[in-house]
Amino acid sequence: MYTGVTNDLKRRLHEHREDSLKDKKHFTGKYNAHFLLYWESFGTVTEAIQREKEIKGWLREKKIELIRTSNPDLMFLNERK
């Protein structure tokens, strides 16, 4: 599971998908991690980075619980963003 911060989610999803289909130079490309399951919005970059670090420290099971709070069926949200 990939957790990251961006100021342009649509652009970032496109970059991850392109890497997955072509170069496979980064984590998202190597592991085909370009499907969006969950996202949060913050007022500042500092808040976003703090939350990213918090979530990255969690076990996979806890991350899935968080995702299911707003996406119980684990649907891919790429086209909805």
Side-chain angles (χ1 to χ4, degrees):
M1 253 184 223
Y2 174 83
T3 303
V5 172
T6 184
N7 63 355
D8 187 339
L9 184 55
K10 189 173 183 175
R11 174 190 49 81
R12 197 66 177 132
L13 287 170
H14 176 74
E15 291 171 353
H16 288 321
R17 180 167 162 69
E18 288 299 304
D19 189 41
S20 185
L21 294 173
K22 297 176 183 172
D23 301 330
K24 300 191 181 293
K25 290 183 180 179
H26 306 97
F27 176 91
T28 55
K30 290 176 185 173
Y31 296 96
N32 294 317
H34 61 269
F35 296 106
L36 180 66
L37 294 171
Y38 179 84
W39 61 275
E40 294 180 9
S41 180
F42 295 91
T44 69
V45 173
T46 303
E47 291 173 312
I49 292 170
Q50 184 178 30
R51 180 65 165 157
E52 175 193 26
K53 289 178 181 178
E54 177 184 8
I55 292 171
K56 281 187 175 188
W58 293 355
L59 295 175
R60 181 181 181 88
E61 292 79 20
K62 187 171 180 176
K63 293 175 188 178
I64 292 172
E65 285 178 32
L66 173 65
I67 294 165
R68 286 189 185 274
T69 62
S70 63
N71 184 2
D73 298 322
L74 302 178
M75 303 287 293
F76 298 145
L77 305 175
N78 296 55
E79 300 304 319
R80 298 179 189 178
K81 259 331 282 157

